[in-house]
Amino acid sequence: MISDRVKGLRVIRTALSAEAETIAALHHRARSMYYPDGLPDDGVDWTAAWRGAVERPDGQVLCVVEAGAVIGVASFRTPEGAGAETVELFQFHVDPGHWRAGAGTALHAACLEQWRAEGRRTAVLDVHVDNRRAQAFYARQGWVPDSEHPPAEGDHHLYLRYAVSGERGE
């Protein structure tokens, strides 16, 4: 596990089960920003889903805490059917009130630090096609389109890949 990472007044640490409701609310605010017609009701109990992600023995949730408030969150684990050298970034959100202030970049760096410590070689993720802000963020961090999962007709997600070894892209 990653040790607490302190950057000024910002701390990046493992999330706690007790923070699931706070994380779900942050997740809702962040996702609401990229759906052009408003956030669809997907029927998911996101508080329970985040609690489950935090408690998973085979995954990890990191959070960014600033001035005592959770302002960013990342959830990752080995994707089903993949080898231990691959990690999937399932969720990555920064509270919209903290965009462009370095929290996402710091959280991404903490994820990379953890993945390298675990011996991961490749990271994958999918991002909603309407989430241009996230796509630009990931491109700045060195993520590239995943040639193993090209976009399919009508797909609402783009698949990206990152070479964790320290090199950008693949």
Side-chain angles (χ1 to χ4, degrees):
M1 279 207 191
I2 193 168
S3 59
D4 286 355
R5 180 186 186 113
V6 180
K7 294 282 191 181
L9 299 176
R10 183 180 291 153
V11 176
I12 299 175
R13 60 166 172 75
T14 300
L16 307 172
S17 293
E19 295 170 315
E21 188 172 343
T22 298
I23 292 170
L26 181 158
H27 175 191
H28 180 85
R29 287 189 301 277
R31 286 185 67 215
S32 295
M33 300 303 287
Y34 62 85
Y35 280 96
D37 299 321
L39 187 62
D41 181 5
D42 55 12
V44 175
D45 178 346
W46 284 104
T47 297
W50 276 106
R51 186 172 294 109
V54 169
E55 294 173 353
R56 279 184 78 108
D58 64 339
Q60 188 167 6
V61 178
L62 298 180
C63 64
V64 181
V65 179
E66 192 170 277
V70 175
I71 65 164
V73 64
S75 170
F76 52 87
R77 65 180 182 269
T78 303
E80 197 162 316
E85 72 283 349
T86 302
V87 64
E88 184 168 358
L89 183 58
F90 281 94
Q91 300 282 347
F92 190 96
H93 303 287
V94 173
D95 197 300
H98 294 273
W99 285 352
R100 305 294 297 174
T105 300
L107 182 58
H108 187 266
C111 290
L112 290 176
E113 180 182 316
Q114 183 65 32
W115 300 341
R116 287 180 181 127
E118 294 173 356
R120 306 298 187 137
R121 296 181 55 211
T122 303
V124 295
L125 64 79
D126 65 85
V127 60
H128 197 277
V129 296
D130 293 326
N131 194 345
R132 303 282 185 216
R133 178 181 293 274
Q135 291 172 41
F137 171 81
Y138 292 127
R140 285 191 306 272
Q141 304 309 313
W143 292 78
V144 297
D146 187 344
S147 60
E148 293 180 23
H149 295 95
E153 183 70 32
D155 200 350
H156 296 285
H157 291 89
L158 302 174
Y159 298 90
L160 305 178
R161 176 176 290 273
Y162 186 94
V164 178
S165 65
E167 299 172 21
R168 294 185 155 218
E170 271 206 350

